[in-house]
PDB file of all heavy atoms in Angstrom:
ATOM      1  N   VAL A  91     -36.505  -2.567   3.405  1.00 98.00           N
ATOM      2  CA  VAL A  91     -36.755  -3.891   3.964  1.00 98.00           C
ATOM      3  C   VAL A  91     -37.892  -3.844   4.979  1.00 98.00           C
ATOM      4  O   VAL A  91     -38.835  -4.645   4.910  1.00 98.00           O
ATOM      5  CB  VAL A  91     -35.481  -4.457   4.626  1.00 98.00           C
ATOM      6  CG1 VAL A  91     -35.758  -5.812   5.273  1.00 98.00           C
ATOM      7  CG2 VAL A  91     -34.357  -4.584   3.597  1.00 98.00           C
ATOM      8  N   ALA A  92     -37.820  -2.899   5.907  1.00 97.00           N
ATOM      9  CA  ALA A  92     -38.840  -2.803   6.953  1.00 97.00           C
ATOM     10  C   ALA A  92     -40.233  -2.602   6.364  1.00 97.00           C
ATOM     11  O   ALA A  92     -41.216  -3.178   6.842  1.00 97.00           O
ATOM     12  CB  ALA A  92     -38.502  -1.654   7.903  1.00 97.00           C
ATOM     13  N   GLY A  93     -40.304  -1.772   5.323  1.00 97.00           N
ATOM     14  CA  GLY A  93     -41.600  -1.500   4.707  1.00 97.00           C
ATOM     15  C   GLY A  93     -41.988  -2.483   3.626  1.00 97.00           C
ATOM     16  O   GLY A  93     -43.138  -2.491   3.167  1.00 97.00           O
ATOM     17  N   GLY A  94     -41.051  -3.323   3.205  1.00 97.00           N
ATOM     18  CA  GLY A  94     -41.308  -4.213   2.083  1.00 97.00           C
ATOM     19  C   GLY A  94     -41.685  -5.625   2.437  1.00 97.00           C
ATOM     20  O   GLY A  94     -42.303  -6.339   1.641  1.00 97.00           O
ATOM     21  N   ILE A  95     -41.317  -6.074   3.639  1.00 98.00           N
ATOM     22  CA  ILE A  95     -41.650  -7.432   4.061  1.00 98.00           C
ATOM     23  C   ILE A  95     -43.145  -7.531   4.363  1.00 98.00           C
ATOM     24  O   ILE A  95     -43.694  -6.670   5.059  1.00 98.00           O
ATOM     25  CB  ILE A  95     -40.828  -7.833   5.304  1.00 98.00           C
ATOM     26  CG1 ILE A  95     -39.347  -7.972   4.941  1.00 98.00           C
ATOM     27  CG2 ILE A  95     -41.343  -9.132   5.912  1.00 98.00           C
ATOM     28  CD1 ILE A  95     -38.447  -8.261   6.129  1.00 98.00           C
ATOM     29  N   PRO A  96     -43.814  -8.561   3.874  1.00 96.00           N
ATOM     30  CA  PRO A  96     -45.242  -8.731   4.201  1.00 96.00           C
ATOM     31  C   PRO A  96     -45.410  -9.326   5.598  1.00 96.00           C
ATOM     32  O   PRO A  96     -45.412 -10.539   5.775  1.00 96.00           O
ATOM     33  CB  PRO A  96     -45.723  -9.711   3.114  1.00 96.00           C
ATOM     34  CG  PRO A  96     -44.496 -10.501   2.742  1.00 96.00           C
ATOM     35  CD  PRO A  96     -43.329  -9.566   2.922  1.00 96.00           C
ATOM     36  N   TRP A  97     -45.533  -8.469   6.576  1.00 97.00           N
ATOM     37  CA  TRP A  97     -45.610  -8.918   7.965  1.00 97.00           C
ATOM     38  C   TRP A  97     -46.935  -9.613   8.257  1.00 97.00           C
ATOM     39  O   TRP A  97     -47.969  -9.264   7.681  1.00 97.00           O
ATOM     40  CB  TRP A  97     -45.433  -7.741   8.912  1.00 97.00           C
ATOM     41  CG  TRP A  97     -44.153  -6.996   8.700  1.00 97.00           C
ATOM     42  CD1 TRP A  97     -43.987  -5.797   8.074  1.00 97.00           C
ATOM     43  CD2 TRP A  97     -42.842  -7.426   9.087  1.00 97.00           C
ATOM     44  NE1 TRP A  97     -42.659  -5.447   8.046  1.00 97.00           N
ATOM     45  CE2 TRP A  97     -41.926  -6.420   8.658  1.00 97.00           C
ATOM     46  CE3 TRP A  97     -42.342  -8.547   9.749  1.00 97.00           C
ATOM     47  CZ2 TRP A  97     -40.563  -6.521   8.881  1.00 97.00           C
ATOM     48  CZ3 TRP A  97     -40.974  -8.646   9.973  1.00 97.00           C
ATOM     49  CH2 TRP A  97     -40.104  -7.636   9.538  1.00 97.00           C
ATOM     50  N   LYS A  98     -46.870 -10.551   9.176  1.00 95.00           N
ATOM     51  CA  LYS A  98     -48.069 -11.270   9.604  1.00 95.00           C
ATOM     52  C   LYS A  98     -48.262 -11.055  11.100  1.00 95.00           C
ATOM     53  O   LYS A  98     -47.287 -10.831  11.829  1.00 95.00           O
ATOM     54  CB  LYS A  98     -47.933 -12.763   9.300  1.00 95.00           C
ATOM     55  CG  LYS A  98     -47.806 -13.070   7.807  1.00 95.00           C
ATOM     56  CD  LYS A  98     -47.601 -14.555   7.573  1.00 95.00           C
ATOM     57  CE  LYS A  98     -47.442 -14.847   6.083  1.00 95.00           C
ATOM     58  NZ  LYS A  98     -47.182 -16.286   5.823  1.00 95.00           N
ATOM     59  N   PRO A  99     -49.493 -11.115  11.583  1.00 92.00           N
ATOM     60  CA  PRO A  99     -49.742 -10.905  13.010  1.00 92.00           C
ATOM     61  C   PRO A  99     -48.868 -11.816  13.872  1.00 92.00           C
ATOM     62  O   PRO A  99     -48.760 -13.021  13.605  1.00 92.00           O
ATOM     63  CB  PRO A  99     -51.226 -11.250  13.164  1.00 92.00           C
ATOM     64  CG  PRO A  99     -51.810 -10.991  11.810  1.00 92.00           C
ATOM     65  CD  PRO A  99     -50.743 -11.368  10.826  1.00 92.00           C
ATOM     66  N   ASN A 101     -45.584 -11.597  14.172  1.00 98.00           N
ATOM     67  CA  ASN A 101     -44.188 -11.645  13.745  1.00 98.00           C
ATOM     68  C   ASN A 101     -43.293 -10.886  14.720  1.00 98.00           C
ATOM     69  O   ASN A 101     -43.659  -9.820  15.209  1.00 98.00           O
ATOM     70  CB  ASN A 101     -44.025 -11.034  12.367  1.00 98.00           C
ATOM     71  CG  ASN A 101     -44.386 -11.979  11.230  1.00 98.00           C
ATOM     72  OD1 ASN A 101     -44.467 -11.574  10.087  1.00 98.00           O
ATOM     73  ND2 ASN A 101     -44.607 -13.251  11.530  1.00 98.00           N
ATOM     74  N   LYS A 125     -47.696  -4.160  13.715  1.00 95.00           N
ATOM     75  CA  LYS A 125     -47.337  -5.073  12.623  1.00 95.00           C
ATOM     76  C   LYS A 125     -46.320  -6.111  13.074  1.00 95.00           C
ATOM     77  O   LYS A 125     -46.230  -7.191  12.491  1.00 95.00           O
ATOM     78  CB  LYS A 125     -46.770  -4.271  11.448  1.00 95.00           C
ATOM     79  CG  LYS A 125     -47.801  -3.389  10.763  1.00 95.00           C
ATOM     80  CD  LYS A 125     -47.185  -2.638   9.595  1.00 95.00           C
ATOM     81  CE  LYS A 125     -48.224  -1.762   8.899  1.00 95.00           C
ATOM     82  NZ  LYS A 125     -47.633  -0.991   7.782  1.00 95.00           N
ATOM     83  N   ARG A 153     -39.422 -13.475  12.749  1.00 98.00           N
ATOM     84  CA  ARG A 153     -39.402 -13.289  11.294  1.00 98.00           C
ATOM     85  C   ARG A 153     -38.076 -12.718  10.806  1.00 98.00           C
ATOM     86  O   ARG A 153     -37.630 -13.041   9.711  1.00 98.00           O
ATOM     87  CB  ARG A 153     -40.557 -12.341  10.891  1.00 98.00           C
ATOM     88  CG  ARG A 153     -40.751 -12.181   9.388  1.00 98.00           C
ATOM     89  CD  ARG A 153     -41.373 -13.421   8.784  1.00 98.00           C
ATOM     90  NE  ARG A 153     -41.558 -13.301   7.344  1.00 98.00           N
ATOM     91  CZ  ARG A 153     -42.565 -12.684   6.754  1.00 98.00           C
ATOM     92  NH1 ARG A 153     -43.509 -12.097   7.489  1.00 98.00           N
ATOM     93  NH2 ARG A 153     -42.666 -12.653   5.436  1.00 98.00           N
ATOM     94  N   LEU A 183     -35.273 -14.510   8.860  1.00 98.00           N
ATOM     95  CA  LEU A 183     -34.544 -13.677   7.910  1.00 98.00           C
ATOM     96  C   LEU A 183     -33.506 -12.837   8.642  1.00 98.00           C
ATOM     97  O   LEU A 183     -33.621 -12.598   9.854  1.00 98.00           O
ATOM     98  CB  LEU A 183     -35.521 -12.755   7.168  1.00 98.00           C
ATOM     99  CG  LEU A 183     -36.621 -13.426   6.347  1.00 98.00           C
ATOM    100  CD1 LEU A 183     -37.604 -12.384   5.823  1.00 98.00           C
ATOM    101  CD2 LEU A 183     -36.034 -14.231   5.193  1.00 98.00           C
ATOM    102  N   LEU A 230     -35.801 -13.875  -2.480  1.00 98.00           N
ATOM    103  CA  LEU A 230     -36.721 -13.068  -1.683  1.00 98.00           C
ATOM    104  C   LEU A 230     -37.236 -11.836  -2.423  1.00 98.00           C
ATOM    105  O   LEU A 230     -38.133 -11.150  -1.932  1.00 98.00           O
ATOM    106  CB  LEU A 230     -36.040 -12.618  -0.389  1.00 98.00           C
ATOM    107  CG  LEU A 230     -35.684 -13.724   0.606  1.00 98.00           C
ATOM    108  CD1 LEU A 230     -34.836 -13.154   1.731  1.00 98.00           C
ATOM    109  CD2 LEU A 230     -36.944 -14.376   1.160  1.00 98.00           C
ATOM    110  N   GLU A 232     -39.124 -11.245  -5.035  1.00 97.00           N
ATOM    111  CA  GLU A 232     -40.558 -11.187  -5.364  1.00 97.00           C
ATOM    112  C   GLU A 232     -41.429 -10.973  -4.135  1.00 97.00           C
ATOM    113  O   GLU A 232     -42.575 -10.534  -4.255  1.00 97.00           O
ATOM    114  CB  GLU A 232     -40.982 -12.474  -6.089  1.00 97.00           C
ATOM    115  CG  GLU A 232     -40.328 -12.691  -7.443  1.00 97.00           C
ATOM    116  CD  GLU A 232     -40.938 -11.835  -8.545  1.00 97.00           C
ATOM    117  OE1 GLU A 232     -41.945 -11.141  -8.272  1.00 97.00           O
ATOM    118  OE2 GLU A 232     -40.416 -11.860  -9.674  1.00 97.00           O
ATOM    119  N   SER A 233     -40.894 -11.256  -2.949  1.00 97.00           N
ATOM    120  CA  SER A 233     -41.693 -11.104  -1.725  1.00 97.00           C
ATOM    121  C   SER A 233     -41.669  -9.679  -1.182  1.00 97.00           C
ATOM    122  O   SER A 233     -42.443  -9.346  -0.280  1.00 97.00           O
ATOM    123  CB  SER A 233     -41.178 -12.061  -0.643  1.00 97.00           C
ATOM    124  OG  SER A 233     -39.911 -11.642  -0.146  1.00 97.00           O
ATOM    125  N   ILE A 234     -40.788  -8.841  -1.716  1.00 97.00           N
ATOM    126  CA  ILE A 234     -40.650  -7.477  -1.213  1.00 97.00           C
ATOM    127  C   ILE A 234     -41.548  -6.521  -1.990  1.00 97.00           C
ATOM    128  O   ILE A 234     -41.438  -6.395  -3.214  1.00 97.00           O
ATOM    129  CB  ILE A 234     -39.179  -7.010  -1.305  1.00 97.00           C
ATOM    130  CG1 ILE A 234     -38.281  -7.891  -0.436  1.00 97.00           C
ATOM    131  CG2 ILE A 234     -39.054  -5.547  -0.890  1.00 97.00           C
ATOM    132  CD1 ILE A 234     -38.612  -7.860   1.045  1.00 97.00           C
ATOM    133  N   THR A 235     -42.415  -5.848  -1.262  1.00 97.00           N
ATOM    134  CA  THR A 235     -43.284  -4.834  -1.866  1.00 97.00           C
ATOM    135  C   THR A 235     -42.622  -3.467  -1.712  1.00 97.00           C
ATOM    136  O   THR A 235     -42.324  -3.061  -0.586  1.00 97.00           O
ATOM    137  CB  THR A 235     -44.663  -4.813  -1.185  1.00 97.00           C
ATOM    138  OG1 THR A 235     -45.265  -6.096  -1.326  1.00 97.00           O
ATOM    139  CG2 THR A 235     -45.556  -3.754  -1.822  1.00 97.00           C
TER     140      THR A 235
END
Side-chain angles (χ1 to χ4, degrees):
V91 177
I95 292 176
W97 303 103
K98 297 177 181 178
N101 279 171
K125 292 181 179 178
R153 186 73 181 278
L183 300 173
L230 294 172
E232 296 283 355
S233 71
I234 298 298
T235 300

